[in-house]
């Protein structure tokens, strides 16, 4: 069986270092907001090419706190892609704002810069874009438009650690870059975790307070904060994995190339462009008989996933949230997309095998 994901296997190369880090943290006896978190924040900021980074408890919290730090009037509108993981939209709602869905470019699956302008209204305050599946959005036109219309930009980088646009890593293009370290992500912890990257020391300080009961000085509370802290154990593991993130991404890119070169043209493959250095959090293809293809692959011992089976506007939780409910491109993607195995634990032979089986479908 070729698994879709095996997290024990994918983390095995780091086990010995993780055990040392675990023992050190245990001995130190300091488990929340200590030197591991500070060290990781510095290293991850450096990696992303930004001056500031603050660790938080999850990717969802990173998105919520980024919006809260920008301090928009309640009920203002945030533009989000119509095809994203539900967390992006939940973050807007939890921040007391209104999500407005914008359809994607059908070739990149990322928010379509040409459609953003039409969605901007008098109450629009921000664009929350998602670098989906590990491919950067087309940042130049988005940043230009945001600047012209006075909109803030938050990047949901949960699927794009290390992805680049025109040679620059994502996370520092907008006002905030929000990251998740959920175990399956390219930079995954052994539990939950997240971080917010930014270029602005004042905004970064806001995140630092918001994540810790509104306080950066014990027992003095300046903001209505929450408890959303990255913990010392996870930060220790993440610092270790971060030193190997480029290697993880390179491995996934090598596997992606095997799919890109080998899969027959019946499958719609991910777009590749000179502007984008993709890190393939997911390698998706599209096919009109997706469900039959998935069954066929399972019959040949290849496990796949669907990211995602139900579009956000069709989720039960989202009933009544959106003014309009017709998002044909998002529907088309959700109905046809299939995610193939592509992890640090997979070998090139595994992928050649999947290609061989796929091409007989
Ligand atoms: C994983 C993910 C999140 C949420 O991250 P958590 O750490 O699970 O809260 C947000 N947005 C996108 C696009 C994701 O893939």
């Amino acid at each position: 069986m070729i698994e879709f994901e095996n997290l024990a296997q994918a983390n095995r190369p780091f086990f010995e270092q993780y055990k040392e880090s675990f023992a050190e943290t245990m001995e130190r006896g300091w488990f929340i907001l200590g030197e591991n978190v500070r060290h990781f924040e510095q290293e991850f900021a450096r990696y992303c090419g930004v001056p500031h980074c603050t660790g938080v408890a999850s990717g969802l919290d990173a998105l919520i706190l980024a919006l809260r730090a920008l301090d928009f009037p309640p009920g203002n509108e945030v533009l989000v892609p119509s095809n994203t993981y539900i967390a992006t939209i939940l973050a807007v709602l939890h921040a007391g704002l209104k999500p407005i869905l914008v359809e994607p470019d059908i070739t990149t699956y990322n928010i379509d810069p040409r459609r953003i302008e039409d969605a901007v209204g008098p109450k629009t305050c921000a664009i929350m874009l998602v670098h989906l599946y590990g491919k950067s959005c087309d940042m130049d036109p988005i940043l230009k438009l945001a600047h012209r219309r006075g909109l803030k930009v938050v990047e949901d980088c949960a699927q794009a650690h290390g992805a680049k646009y025109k040679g620059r890593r994502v996370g520092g293009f907008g006002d905030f870059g929000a990251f998740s370290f959920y175990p399956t992500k390219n930079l995954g912890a052994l539990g939950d975790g997240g971080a917010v990257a930014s270029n602005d020391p004042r905004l970064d300080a806001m995140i630092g307070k918001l994540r810790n009961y509104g306080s950066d000085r014990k027992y003095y509370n300046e903001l209505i904060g929450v408890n959303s802290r990255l913990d010392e154990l996870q930060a220790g593991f993440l610092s270790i994995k971060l030193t190997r993130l480029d290697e993880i991404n390179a491995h996934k890119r090598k596997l992606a190339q095997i799919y890109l070169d080998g899969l027959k043209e019946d499958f719609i493959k991910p777009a590749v462009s000179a502007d984008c250095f993709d890190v393939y959090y997911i390698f998706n293809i599209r096919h009109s008989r997706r469900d039959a293809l998935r069954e066929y692959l399972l019959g040949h011992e290849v496990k796949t996933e669907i990211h995602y089976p139900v579009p956000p506007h069709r989720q039960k939780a989202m009933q009544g949230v959106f003014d309009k409910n017709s998002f044909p491109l998002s529907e088309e993607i959700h109905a046809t997309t299939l995610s193939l195995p592509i992890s640090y634990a997979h070998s090139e032979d595994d992928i050649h095998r999947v290609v061989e089986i796929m091409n007989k479908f």
Side-chain angles (χ1 to χ4, degrees), residues 57-61 63 84-85 87-88 130 132 156 158-159 179-182 185 192-194 281 308:
S58 72
L60 175 62
D61 280 358
L63 292 165
T84 180
Y85 182 55
T88 323
V130 182
L132 199 71
D156 180 341
Q159 304 191 355
F179 290 85
S180 162
F181 307 121
Y182 183 77
K185 311 288 183 180
D192 276 312
Y281 168 57
Y308 298 91

Side-chain angles (χ1 to χ4, degrees), residues 55-70:
V56 296
S58 72
L60 175 62
D61 280 358
L63 292 165
I64 296 172
L65 297 185
L67 288 173
R68 282 203 52 199
L70 290 167

